Amino acid sequence: MTPKTFEARCLRLPAATKVVQWEGTSVFKVGGKMFALSGGYTAESGGYMFKVSDMAYGMLIEHGLARPAPYLARAKWVQLVGNNALPDAELTAYLVQAHALIVAKLSKKLRKELGLASPQAGPA
């Protein structure tokens, strides 16, 4: 997946925003909380980074498609070994899941303000 497509897929998700931080890294957020990263320092050290479920964390690392994300591994974030480590459709599904995992942790009040009244994911 190209960086431009990755950005488009992230920003297509409800209430998603983008800010540029940390050496030009594109940080995708929902409700002020990060769910995915691309470019900048992530490009220098490998591929895209995003939040995953506990099961996906173990599976992606075990299959050699990703590694624990620097500084974010304890929160179950992965960094792909390369931007093309996953087919586009599969990476898109992981981005949807990353977004949903963060939405589920937002307060009910904030979800309502953002038009995300009910979380889209189960417990992480």
Side-chain angles (χ1 to χ4, degrees), residues 44-110:
E44 294 169 14
S45 61
Y48 304 126
M49 291 187 201
F50 47 93
K51 171 87 170 137
V52 292
S53 68
D54 291 347
M55 186 177 0
Y57 183 83
M59 186 195 70
L60 287 168
I61 292 169
E62 185 177 309
H63 291 349
L65 299 169
R67 59 184 157 268
Y71 310 107
L72 298 167
R74 67 178 177 78
K76 300 295 189 233
W77 277 64
V78 294
Q79 181 176 29
L80 294 181
V81 296
N83 289 351
N84 293 317
L86 294 171
D88 285 8
E90 198 171 332
L91 179 51
T92 298
Y94 278 114
L95 293 174
V96 169
Q97 181 187 49
H99 179 271
L101 288 166
I102 299 305
V103 168
K105 293 183 178 188
L106 298 176
S107 70
K108 286 182 182 181
K109 179 182 177 187
L110 183 53

